Amino acid sequence: MSLRLNLLLFLLTFSLTACNKEAKQSPLKSSRDASLCQFSAGDCIKQVGDTQLKFNLSPVSAPSEKPLTLTLSSTLPITNVNLRLEGRDMFMGIIPVKMQQSDDTTYIGNFVYGSCSSGYMVWRGFVSFSLNGQDHTVIVDFLADDNG
């Protein structure tokens, strides 16, 4: 019994030493990663040949577990627009987003995604479409719960 008690005391003492004031926590990753779309700064723009695609998310902070609206506008007419969301760095399931055509160059989709306990969740949107009879795919990465 005393061996178990000594082992328990050792483990408790060892685990408490990491909680002193000098222990440094690693900082959270910055949402200013240049590879991510920054919807709070304006439209996210992707170029496919001579065609420019603009992605707009509302609300711009991309909150988890809240309804979101993505608007896709292109400079030329596109067809067969499909969107699916996946976690870029971790599996969070596959979220299909039904895109509704508003006009020849505009599509709108609504979706909700779950929250991540890590505090840093990057979502990746795979946007496929046809342009002048050719199929294309564009990737759009953005940070969930991006408060600037």
Side-chain angles (χ1 to χ4, degrees):
M1 179 77 169
S2 100
L3 179 59
R4 285 186 184 175
L5 183 58
N6 284 336
L7 180 61
L8 179 63
L9 287 173
F10 172 76
L11 290 174
L12 282 173
T13 304
F14 179 74
S15 66
L16 291 176
T17 59
C19 296
N20 64 27
K21 292 180 183 178
E22 295 174 19
K24 294 182 180 178
Q25 294 180 353
S26 61
L28 289 176
K29 293 180 182 179
S30 170
S31 65
R32 297 297 167 219
D33 179 344
S35 70
L36 302 179
C37 289
Q38 301 288 324
F39 295 110
S40 60
D43 292 340
C44 182
I45 299 173
K46 300 290 181 176
Q47 195 75 29
V48 177
D50 294 335
T51 304
Q52 188 178 73
L53 302 173
K54 293 181 181 181
F55 295 89
N56 178 285
L57 188 68
S58 177
V60 296
S61 62
S64 298
E65 300 178 344
K66 303 282 186 204
L68 299 166
T69 300
L70 180 77
T71 303
L72 164 60
S73 303
S74 66
T75 54
L76 292 175
I78 56 176
T79 58
N80 301 324
V81 175
N82 290 295
L83 169 64
R84 78 176 192 273
L85 292 174
E86 298 179 14
R88 181 189 72 179
D89 304 318
M90 66 183 75
F91 183 73
M92 296 285 287
I94 297 171
I95 302 170
V97 179
K98 184 173 182 178
M99 299 297 288
Q100 297 287 329
Q101 187 172 5
S102 174
D103 58 43
D104 286 347
T105 60
T106 307
Y107 288 79
I108 299 171
N110 298 299
F111 58 94
V112 175
Y113 49 69
S115 64
C116 176
S117 62
S118 77
Y120 188 84
M121 179 63 204
V122 175
W123 287 95
R124 173 164 282 172
F126 294 90
V127 184
S128 60
F129 59 96
S130 294
L131 172 65
N132 296 326
Q134 292 186 336
D135 293 335
H136 299 276
T137 300
V138 171
I139 294 175
V140 178
D141 291 343
F142 62 95
L143 182 64
D145 304 305
D146 186 5
N147 295 315

